[in-house]
Amino acid sequence: MNDRENDHITVMEINGFIADDLHGALGEVYAISKATQCTQYMFSLSLNPPQDHIASEAELQEAVNRAEETLGLSDQPRAIIIHEKEGRRHAHAVWSRIDGDDLKAINLPHFKRKLTDLSRELYLDHGWELPQGLQSNGGKSPLNFTLAEWQQAKRHRVDPREIKQLFQEAWERSDGLKAFRNAIEERGYFLAKGDRRGFVAVDVHGEVYALSRLVGEKAKAVKEKLGSPEQLTSVADVRADVKSKVTSQLKNYINQTKAKHRKDAQPLLDEKAVMTALHRRERKALKDGQAKRWTAETKARQQRLNGGLRGLFDRLTGKNSKLQKRNEFEAVECAKRDQAQRDDLVVSHMWDRKALQGKFIALRSKQAEDRKILARSVGQTLQIQRQSVDQNRIRGRLREREHNLLF
């Protein structure tokens, strides 16, 4: 229910609970689980349609229903929440795993495989292009990364895909340790000897990265190409060296770039805030209007049914039954009408948000290029400093040899 990171939040369904709000419903699941030994008493699922598809509520509910049947969670209490952000619409579903009759947790064997198969079926059913991870050959993208890598990169606002691409490009065009080290140092990364992981890389912030994971190679292959990591200095020494060499001027450049990026992004953030507020008002107005109309229409349908002796006569003649069926039919049609109006408004809002997201993507691309240029400058500066230190050492050794020859 976090409306700071999401443009819009819709509680699509809360079913099988006494409470009618999400926090109360999840509290019920927790309370029931205390009568069992189960610690993982809920099962949550995220549904993310492709970037170019705006899913309707009916499509999302169908996917949840199919997942529920696949997992063996039919008739279990569940909640469905829809999120919209960055021009995309996705949903989250959560079920209680506790069987209320037997007070036991429902087993979910092989749920990952089952959900992968269901994902493939959903893509095929909708005619969407299969991602590599769902293709029959099980192809896996070389740019996949773990959550830990994502969080590590996010701390410095660098997309982890940028980091992997950087190292993999350097790996492909390098024929040994020296060429590879020079290639990554131009981008602000430095090789070091890790405590357990063999070769590692250290960035200008002191973050450590496992090299074999970044280049997509086994540790043995890395060692064959680069040699033994024992020829490198430790992470602590590299960190200290980097810290001593990053001058106040370079730090100022980094701070200026970050400040400029924040300033450049602010107009888009303001535009997003205005758009989000407008969309929320429009959705609330539609919701309130539909509720008011629904109440009036329900009242009008009820007024068709007579009371008293006339109502008794209507029941005897069958007129009352016909009116009831008519009322039920009209109620269903009105519900479909309201649903269609909500879907139309959502699609309209999503197209507005997608247009704005295009501006965000363009800005982020430019800022990513700025970061590359800045990191390259930092790396080149530090490389020059290191070469200077090496030359001083060579001169010192030559002077020492001359001294020994003379005396």
Side-chain angles (χ1 to χ4, degrees), residues 249-273:
Q249 183 180 12
L250 290 176
K251 290 181 181 179
N252 187 45
Y253 287 158
I254 293 172
N255 292 332
Q256 286 180 6
T257 301
K258 289 181 178 179
K260 182 178 182 299
H261 286 180
R262 288 193 295 268
K263 182 179 179 181
D264 291 343
Q266 194 57 50
L268 291 181
L269 293 174
D270 293 341
E271 185 177 350
K272 173 190 168 186

Side-chain angles (χ1 to χ4, degrees), residues 60 76 97 103 139 158 185 193 231 246 291 317 358 398:
L60 293 171
Q76 284 298 106
R97 288 187 58 210
L103 289 180
V158 178
E185 285 189 3
K193 177 181 64 177
Q231 59 189 304
V246 177
T317 60
L398 289 174

Side-chain angles (χ1 to χ4, degrees), residues 82-147:
I82 298 177
H83 284 168
E84 295 172 36
K85 65 178 181 180
E86 298 189 346
R88 296 197 66 180
R89 194 183 202 202
H90 64 275
H92 301 275
V94 61
W95 289 265
S96 169
R97 288 187 58 210
I98 307 302
D99 186 326
D101 295 329
D102 298 334
L103 289 180
K104 292 182 179 179
I106 296 175
N107 192 25
L108 301 173
H110 312 297
F111 71 89
K112 291 184 179 180
R113 177 182 57 77
K114 291 178 180 177
L115 290 176
T116 298
D117 293 341
L118 175 60
S119 297
R120 183 182 297 107
E121 292 174 10
L122 288 170
Y123 267 78
L124 293 173
D125 289 348
H126 288 281
W128 299 332
E129 182 179 353
L130 278 173
Q132 281 190 317
L134 294 181
Q135 292 176 4
S136 57
N137 60 7
K140 189 176 180 181
S141 170
L143 298 182
N144 284 347
F145 43 84
T146 66
L147 177 61

